């Protein structure tokens, strides 16, 4: 989310990395692809999904879109809110 498109193993300092808009792009092992409201596609390390700040975003997604979302998981928040949640999760993860 640092403004660079993912190509290879680039990751932003926030722990989530932007991807190209291709839904079928290979996702690194141990990561989950997500799309935020701006349409930006990011990959998030699986280890961060249990963090309360990320779990809150996942709950928001379930409430808005349901549990049966086809394709990439959509998260109903803006880029700044998502970045703060990932930063919070990284701090809690150590």
């Amino acid at each position: 989310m640092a403004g660079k498109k993912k190509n290879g193993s680039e990751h932003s300092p926030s722990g989530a990395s932007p991807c190209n808009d291709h839904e079928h792009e290979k996702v690194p092992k141990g990561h989950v692809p997500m799309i935020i409201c701006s349409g930006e596609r990011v990959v998030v390390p699986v280890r961060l999904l249990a963090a309360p700040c990320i779990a809150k975003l996942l709950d928001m997604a379930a409430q808005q879109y349901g549990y049966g979302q086809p394709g990439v998981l959509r998260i109903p928040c803006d880029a700044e809110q998502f970045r703060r949640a990932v930063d919070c999760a990284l701090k809690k993860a150590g």
Side-chain angles (χ1 to χ4, degrees):
M1 304 227 349
K4 290 184 178 179
K5 291 293 179 191
K6 179 179 164 64
N7 56 7
S9 62
E10 282 183 46
H11 289 284
S12 74
S14 70
S17 64
C19 296
N20 295 328
D21 292 330
H22 306 289
E23 295 245 348
H24 300 292
E25 181 176 337
K26 186 171 181 167
V27 176
K29 185 175 183 174
H31 291 73
V32 176
M34 297 181 183
I35 296 179
I36 57 177
C37 281
S38 66
E40 185 175 1
R41 186 171 185 257
V42 295
V43 294
V44 178
V46 170
R47 67 185 172 89
L48 300 183
L49 297 182
C53 32
I54 300 293
K56 182 178 177 181
L57 295 179
L58 295 173
D59 286 340
M60 288 171 43
Q63 289 174 8
Q64 184 161 344
Y65 305 118
Y67 288 101
Q69 291 187 54
V72 177
L73 181 62
R74 297 186 186 285
I75 304 296
C77 70
D78 61 33
E80 186 58 35
Q81 181 182 6
F82 187 80
R83 189 173 297 113
R84 283 192 311 265
V86 170
D87 288 344
C88 171
L90 285 170
K91 287 177 187 174
K92 302 246 188 233

